[in-house]
Structures are given as structure tokens and as C-alpha cells.
Amino acid sequence: MPQDPYVIDEMISAKTIAARVEALAGEISACFSDTDKLVVVGLLRGSFIFIADLVRELSLPVEVDFLEASSYGSMTESSREVRILKDLRGEIAGRDVLVVEDIVDTGYTLHHVRHLLSARKPRRLKVCALLDKPARREVDMSADWVGFDIPDEFVVGYGIDYAQNNRNLPYIGKVRFT
Ligand code: IMP
């Protein structure tokens, strides 16, 4: 699909992201220090780079699973309906679970996912989001850990896309239409 031309302005450097991921992993490891194993659930597809970096910094036994929920199409507007496109492979009843999300925007996706996973009766369920746009929130939803609060801008990179593009940028950048 043709897109309007745009440029990407760096917002958060790869080095800054790495330092923050290390700090988050320290806090998460401390919080779950008594776990036998932490099930780290990545929300596809935007969290794939974040989860890869985060799990390598956790000083805990971990298992990795993925869930795919739809909220964005190929546009820069969030839709309200959240559908589960791919469910977890494993069971989470009685287990320690950390959901890893790229961005909390309106909050609908995480609100829905948290509700869905809570119903499966995990022992503990926590949420870590790399980015948070508090100004965009439409439902009462807050992550237990947030990497960075950002303004209401459309961002790409470090796993995050614009119409499936730019996920491979090592930094997070702001999309600016030219
Ligand atoms: P929410 O349900 O509105 O909170 O939407 C969360 C999802 O929207 C995120 O997981 C992203 O996939 C997507 N999203 C929100 N903001 C952006 C953005 O700035 N760039 C790319 N995707 C975004």
C-alpha cells in the first residue's frame, strides 16, 4: 500500500534503551526472586526485540510464550475492538507471569489481555511495557513497569512498526510526515 513520505527522527537511542532494559530487568528479577520459573509472555509482534533483550537480562529461570492480539491495522489509529489472533501455547494456572508489551496507547489491548489471562488464575500476573503514552489513555490501565513515558507521537523501531516497516531500527524514532 503506498504511504505518504515520512522521515524518522530519533527519540530514544539504542544505548539509552539498553540501559533502561537492564534496570527494568533488575527490578523484575527482584520482584520475582522467589519464583521457580517466570513465564514471560510477549505480545506479538511489536515486543519481539524488547522481550529478547529483557529475558537475557533477567536473573531468573524463564519460559517464553507469545500471544497476538490485534488492535492496530496498517493505520496510525487504534481500533477499540481487541481480538486474540494467536493464543499462548502453555498453561499459566498457578504460575508467575510477566506480560511484555511494546506500547500502552489507549490501553485497550493490555486491559483485554490482562482480563483474559487473569481468568486463567495465574499465581502472579504483572505487566511490563517499554513505552507508555499516558496522554492517549482511554481505559484505566497501567503497567507495573514502564521503560519510558513518551508524548503523543507515532513511533517506530526496536520492534515497533509503521505498516510493518521500520521494526529493525535499533533505536526508537518519531514518524514525521514530509
Ligand atoms: P492500545 O490498545 O491502544 O493501547 O494499543 C497498543 C498497541 O498499538 C501497541 O501494542 C502497538 O502495537 C500499537 N501502537 C500504539 N502506538 C503506536 C505507535 O506509536 N507506533 C506503532 N504502534 C503503536
Side-chain angles (χ1 to χ4, degrees), residues 44-60:
L44 293 173
R45 283 172 259 178
S47 72
F48 81 103
I49 293 180
F50 180 37
I51 196 175
D53 284 347
L54 187 69
V55 294
R56 284 180 289 178
E57 297 288 343
L58 292 175
S59 49
L60 300 169

Side-chain angles (χ1 to χ4, degrees), residues 71-72 78 101-110 133 153-156 160-161:
S71 69
Y72 263 69
S78 186
E101 171 66 310
D102 57 353
I103 308 179
V104 194
D105 189 49
T106 62
Y108 281 103
T109 306
L110 267 182
K133 296 186 195 172
E153 302 280 3
F154 197 81
V155 295
V156 291
I160 300 164
D161 74 305

